């Protein structure tokens, strides 16, 4: 039973380039969350998506960042024109149910993360 | 003020000893509470949910004090493998996002 999968695990970009991070949720999960962990800091929520819908993007920076979770395929977190401050670990999590579920159904399982380094 | 605050530590614990630490949260609308464990440069993993009446899972005991808005974790008979960063996590009823504390680092030494 594969867990949450993220790729690439490590990504190096130069300033001004684009970064695309992919997340495949656990089998049977239709809710995906993205979190960012800056060096020496805690995880911060970025965005919560269901298939083809953004449910909560209150943690997303206003510019350069976007996320999608299409009907088919993985969820994508896209960062345009990366800057050094974007260097961080980006974790994706998935759950089987969203707001309607009980606590156990809402448990979020995390992927191994993508470590983005901007040179 | 951070929404979820933790003592960063590190807590240096002799193997076999007991260690306890707290976390405080500022949002009184918080409804769900968790302890996650994060090993160096790896993903967080759920250690246990925290229920109002307090709960125990093996050597781990979690307590919730809603009046004072704090959560505690106690680890008995510490093992070397308990060395990790422990993340206090809360969620409000209104949304599904997790709010993480900065983590408490625990180092268990022989």
């Amino acid at each position: 039973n594969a867990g949450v999968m993220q790729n690439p695990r490590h990504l190096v970009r130069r300033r001004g380039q684009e970064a695309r991070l992919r997340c495949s949720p656990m089998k049977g999960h239709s809710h995906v969350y993205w979190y960012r962990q800056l060096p020496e800091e805690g995880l911060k929520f970025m965005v919560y998506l269901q298939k083809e819908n953004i449910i909560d993007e209150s943690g997303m920076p206003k510019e350069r960042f976007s996320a999608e979770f299409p009907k088919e395929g993985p969820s994508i977190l896209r960062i345009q024109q990366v800057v050094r401050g974007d260097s961080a670990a980006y974790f994706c999590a998935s759950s089987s149910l969203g707001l309607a579920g009980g606590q156990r159904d809402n448990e979020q399982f995390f992927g191994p993360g993508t470590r983005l380094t901007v040179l | 003020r951070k929404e979820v605050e933790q003592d960063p530590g590190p807590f240096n614990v002799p193997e076999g000893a007991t260690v306890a630490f707290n976390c405080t949260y500022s949002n009184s609308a918080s409804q769900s509470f968790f302890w996650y464990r994060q090993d160096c440069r790896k993903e967080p993993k759920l250690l246990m949910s925290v229920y109002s009446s307090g709960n125990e899972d093996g050597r781990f005991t979690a307590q919730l004090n809603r009046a004072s808005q704090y959560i505690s974790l106690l680890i008995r008979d510490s093992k070397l493998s308990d060395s990790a960063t422990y993340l206090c996590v809360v969620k409000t009823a209104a949304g599904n996002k997790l709010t993480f504390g900065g983590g408490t680092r625990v180092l268990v030494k022989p």
Side-chain angles (χ1 to χ4, degrees):
Chain A
N1 182 21
V4 179
M5 298 176 69
Q6 291 188 249
N7 67 81
R9 295 289 303 277
H10 300 274
L11 182 60
V12 179
R13 285 287 178 266
R14 296 191 182 278
R15 279 180 296 170
Q17 291 185 317
E18 179 179 287
R20 278 182 181 242
L21 287 61
R22 286 177 289 278
C23 168
S24 297
M26 281 180 72
K27 189 176 179 180
H29 286 190
S30 59
H31 299 259
V32 165
Y33 315 81
W34 285 94
Y35 294 85
R36 177 166 66 174
Q37 187 170 31
L38 294 168
E40 307 302 323
E41 292 192 16
L43 279 85
K44 297 278 194 294
F45 168 81
M46 298 181 76
V47 63
Y48 162 31
L49 310 106
Q50 264 184 284
K51 288 282 187 182
E52 300 184 280
N53 282 308
I54 296 175
I55 308 300
D56 180 355
E57 56 181 347
S58 58
M60 287 281 268
K62 294 286 183 273
E63 296 175 347
R64 302 186 297 108
F65 285 71
S66 62
E68 62 175 4
F69 189 15
K71 190 176 179 182
E72 301 291 337
S75 175
I76 307 283
L77 179 68
R78 183 182 175 206
I79 312 172
Q80 294 178 289
Q81 299 174 323
V82 295
V83 300
R84 288 216 174 108
D86 296 333
S87 295
Y90 291 82
F91 291 100
C92 168
S94 72
S95 67
S96 58
L97 288 176
L99 299 173
Q103 185 156 293
R104 181 161 291 280
D105 295 321
N106 280 348
E107 180 180 342
Q108 295 182 23
F109 295 85
F110 283 79
T114 293
R115 298 200 176 274
L116 172 65
T117 302
V118 180
L119 302 177
Chain B
R1 185 187 171 189
K2 291 182 182 178
E3 283 191 66
V4 181
E5 295 211 59
Q6 295 184 249
D7 182 340
F11 284 65
N12 294 299
V13 185
E15 192 176 7
T18 295
V19 60
F21 41 89
N22 296 338
C23 117
T24 58
Y25 61 95
S26 60
N27 188 345
S28 58
S30 299
Q31 288 290 326
S32 302
F33 308 90
F34 312 90
W35 283 103
Y36 275 72
R37 170 195 170 128
Q38 186 175 30
D39 293 286
C40 188
R41 299 181 70 79
K42 297 206 171 169
E43 74 272 24
K45 292 186 178 176
L46 180 65
L47 180 66
M48 59 195 300
S49 301
V50 186
Y51 300 112
S52 296
S53 53
N55 48 299
E56 192 174 302
D57 184 358
R59 297 180 293 107
F60 298 85
T61 301
Q63 296 279 350
L64 168 64
N65 185 317
R66 286 188 185 271
S68 302
Q69 294 186 195
Y70 78 80
I71 307 147
S72 64
L73 181 67
L74 181 145
I75 308 173
R76 280 186 301 279
D77 187 22
S78 299
K79 312 289 184 194
L80 297 177
S81 58
D82 293 334
S83 296
T85 297
Y86 290 85
L87 306 173
C88 176
V89 183
V90 305
K91 188 166 70 167
T92 64
N96 226 16
K97 66 180 184 183
L98 300 179
T99 301
F100 285 80
T104 295
R105 194 164 166 224
V106 172
L107 295 172
V108 181
K109 302 190 173 179

